[in-house]
Amino acid sequence: MTTTAQYVGKVTPQIYIGLGGGGARMVSRLYDHFHDNPWWRKVRDESTAFVVVDTNKGDLDKLASREDMTTILLRSHGDWASEYGRSDPFLDHFLGNMLPRSTVEGAGQIRREARTKLYFSEQIVVSAIESALDKVLDDGNDFLSFE
């Protein structure tokens, strides 16, 4: 099988981002499906990135065997409570009297908790997405196309 850029053509860069447990499962399935294909690993691997963001450490640990998948555990309440306290206007408006639980089990469908953790993990998430962009836009990839 010939896999040089001359014969294959160009590919478009892609980043798959999974948010929460359902998003993590979908990105994991895509990752497994793609990585089972040797042609894909040769041609597409360098122009594709996978990022999973979740509040559940256990679910992210299940993805640890995927070598080039970025997993992000959103900051727990204990990580940011002392940094921001209750003086943050977002917390006062969005959470009211509710404080997020201090667990590693995830937000458990508690939307306010998950969104709050995402809010306080913004820099980590943005950094991971920027790294994924750097990977898929690498000038050394002969198959890359922006058409």
Side-chain angles (χ1 to χ4, degrees), residues 69-81:
M69 179 184 289
T70 301
T71 58
I72 303 165
L73 178 64
L74 296 180
R75 297 174 67 189
S76 69
H77 173 251
D79 291 341
W80 51 259

Side-chain angles (χ1 to χ4, degrees), residues 4-47:
T4 63
Q6 172 186 358
Y7 295 106
V8 174
K10 300 294 184 183
V11 296
T12 304
Q14 299 174 348
I15 300 176
Y16 295 93
I17 301 174
L19 299 174
R25 285 188 294 278
M26 289 308 299
V27 168
S28 175
R29 288 178 66 188
L30 288 167
Y31 178 97
D32 292 343
H33 177 75
F34 293 151
H35 279 79
D36 285 343
N37 182 326
W39 180 87
W40 182 90
R41 285 195 313 269
K42 172 69 175 165
V43 176
R44 296 291 313 204
D45 185 48
E46 293 179 14
S47 61

